[in-house]
PDB file of all heavy atoms in Angstrom:
ATOM      1  N   GLY Y  59      31.769  -2.291  11.312  1.00  0.00           N
ATOM      2  CA  GLY Y  59      33.106  -1.888  11.805  1.00  0.00           C
ATOM      3  C   GLY Y  59      33.273  -2.370  13.280  1.00  0.00           C
ATOM      4  O   GLY Y  59      32.280  -2.803  13.938  1.00  0.00           O
ATOM      5  N   ALA Y  63      37.796  -4.913  20.314  1.00  0.00           N
ATOM      6  CA  ALA Y  63      37.831  -6.390  20.006  1.00  0.00           C
ATOM      7  C   ALA Y  63      38.717  -7.048  21.081  1.00  0.00           C
ATOM      8  O   ALA Y  63      39.959  -6.987  20.998  1.00  0.00           O
ATOM      9  CB  ALA Y  63      38.221  -6.701  18.643  1.00  0.00           C
ATOM     10  N   ALA Y 105      15.966  -0.620  23.273  1.00  0.00           N
ATOM     11  CA  ALA Y 105      15.055   0.227  24.126  1.00  0.00           C
ATOM     12  C   ALA Y 105      15.101   1.659  23.791  1.00  0.00           C
ATOM     13  O   ALA Y 105      14.069   2.426  23.909  1.00  0.00           O
ATOM     14  CB  ALA Y 105      15.632   0.140  25.684  1.00  0.00           C
ATOM     15  N   GLY Y 113      16.727  15.705   6.653  1.00  0.00           N
ATOM     16  CA  GLY Y 113      16.425  17.023   6.137  1.00  0.00           C
ATOM     17  C   GLY Y 113      15.653  17.885   7.149  1.00  0.00           C
ATOM     18  O   GLY Y 113      15.421  17.476   8.255  1.00  0.00           O
ATOM     19  N   LEU Y 188     -82.859  61.164 -27.600  1.00  0.00           N
ATOM     20  CA  LEU Y 188     -84.301  61.366 -27.601  1.00  0.00           C
ATOM     21  C   LEU Y 188     -85.108  60.331 -28.331  1.00  0.00           C
ATOM     22  O   LEU Y 188     -86.087  59.807 -27.925  1.00  0.00           O
ATOM     23  CB  LEU Y 188     -84.615  62.817 -28.157  1.00  0.00           C
ATOM     24  CG  LEU Y 188     -86.089  63.263 -28.161  1.00  0.00           C
ATOM     25  CD1 LEU Y 188     -86.597  63.260 -26.639  1.00  0.00           C
ATOM     26  CD2 LEU Y 188     -86.165  64.674 -28.707  1.00  0.00           C
ATOM     27  N   TRP Y 196     -92.827  53.673 -26.386  1.00  0.00           N
ATOM     28  CA  TRP Y 196     -93.862  52.999 -27.161  1.00  0.00           C
ATOM     29  C   TRP Y 196     -93.885  51.557 -27.066  1.00  0.00           C
ATOM     30  O   TRP Y 196     -94.882  51.014 -26.947  1.00  0.00           O
ATOM     31  CB  TRP Y 196     -93.592  53.481 -28.592  1.00  0.00           C
ATOM     32  CG  TRP Y 196     -94.544  52.853 -29.577  1.00  0.00           C
ATOM     33  CD1 TRP Y 196     -95.791  53.438 -29.960  1.00  0.00           C
ATOM     34  CD2 TRP Y 196     -94.495  51.633 -30.296  1.00  0.00           C
ATOM     35  NE1 TRP Y 196     -96.505  52.726 -30.795  1.00  0.00           N
ATOM     36  CE2 TRP Y 196     -95.614  51.517 -31.110  1.00  0.00           C
ATOM     37  CE3 TRP Y 196     -93.534  50.713 -30.366  1.00  0.00           C
ATOM     38  CZ2 TRP Y 196     -95.921  50.406 -31.842  1.00  0.00           C
ATOM     39  CZ3 TRP Y 196     -93.856  49.667 -31.161  1.00  0.00           C
ATOM     40  CH2 TRP Y 196     -95.004  49.474 -31.901  1.00  0.00           C
ATOM     41  N   THR Y 251     -19.973  -5.180  -0.089  1.00  0.00           N
ATOM     42  CA  THR Y 251     -18.670  -5.073   0.479  1.00  0.00           C
ATOM     43  C   THR Y 251     -18.100  -6.445   0.881  1.00  0.00           C
ATOM     44  O   THR Y 251     -18.686  -7.203   1.613  1.00  0.00           O
ATOM     45  CB  THR Y 251     -18.777  -4.145   1.689  1.00  0.00           C
ATOM     46  OG1 THR Y 251     -19.413  -2.961   1.334  1.00  0.00           O
ATOM     47  CG2 THR Y 251     -17.400  -3.979   2.376  1.00  0.00           C
ATOM     48  N   PRO Y 271      -2.842 -11.565  24.947  1.00  0.00           N
ATOM     49  CA  PRO Y 271      -2.499 -12.841  24.351  1.00  0.00           C
ATOM     50  C   PRO Y 271      -3.639 -13.788  24.137  1.00  0.00           C
ATOM     51  O   PRO Y 271      -3.738 -14.601  23.099  1.00  0.00           O
ATOM     52  CB  PRO Y 271      -1.508 -13.408  25.335  1.00  0.00           C
ATOM     53  CG  PRO Y 271      -1.059 -12.176  26.158  1.00  0.00           C
ATOM     54  CD  PRO Y 271      -2.126 -11.225  26.034  1.00  0.00           C
ATOM     55  N   TYR Y 311       3.082 -22.515  17.326  1.00  0.00           N
ATOM     56  CA  TYR Y 311       4.259 -21.437  17.061  1.00  0.00           C
ATOM     57  C   TYR Y 311       5.509 -22.324  16.704  1.00  0.00           C
ATOM     58  O   TYR Y 311       6.245 -21.945  15.857  1.00  0.00           O
ATOM     59  CB  TYR Y 311       4.396 -20.492  18.216  1.00  0.00           C
ATOM     60  CG  TYR Y 311       5.529 -19.593  18.126  1.00  0.00           C
ATOM     61  CD1 TYR Y 311       5.691 -18.690  17.018  1.00  0.00           C
ATOM     62  CD2 TYR Y 311       6.527 -19.487  19.086  1.00  0.00           C
ATOM     63  CE1 TYR Y 311       6.751 -17.878  16.902  1.00  0.00           C
ATOM     64  CE2 TYR Y 311       7.570 -18.667  19.121  1.00  0.00           C
ATOM     65  CZ  TYR Y 311       7.724 -17.876  17.955  1.00  0.00           C
ATOM     66  OH  TYR Y 311       8.798 -16.941  17.886  1.00  0.00           O
ATOM     67  N   TRP Y 356      16.170 -35.865  13.362  1.00  0.00           N
ATOM     68  CA  TRP Y 356      16.158 -35.249  11.899  1.00  0.00           C
ATOM     69  C   TRP Y 356      17.445 -34.498  11.761  1.00  0.00           C
ATOM     70  O   TRP Y 356      18.053 -34.630  10.622  1.00  0.00           O
ATOM     71  CB  TRP Y 356      14.901 -34.387  11.818  1.00  0.00           C
ATOM     72  CG  TRP Y 356      14.733 -33.728  10.426  1.00  0.00           C
ATOM     73  CD1 TRP Y 356      13.994 -34.358   9.432  1.00  0.00           C
ATOM     74  CD2 TRP Y 356      15.308 -32.578   9.928  1.00  0.00           C
ATOM     75  NE1 TRP Y 356      14.090 -33.591   8.285  1.00  0.00           N
ATOM     76  CE2 TRP Y 356      14.831 -32.481   8.576  1.00  0.00           C
ATOM     77  CE3 TRP Y 356      16.161 -31.644  10.426  1.00  0.00           C
ATOM     78  CZ2 TRP Y 356      15.187 -31.399   7.713  1.00  0.00           C
ATOM     79  CZ3 TRP Y 356      16.524 -30.462   9.618  1.00  0.00           C
ATOM     80  CH2 TRP Y 356      15.983 -30.413   8.295  1.00  0.00           C
TER      81      TRP Y 356
END
Side-chain angles (χ1 to χ4, degrees):
L188 182 61
W196 181 87
T251 304
Y311 175 56
W356 186 91

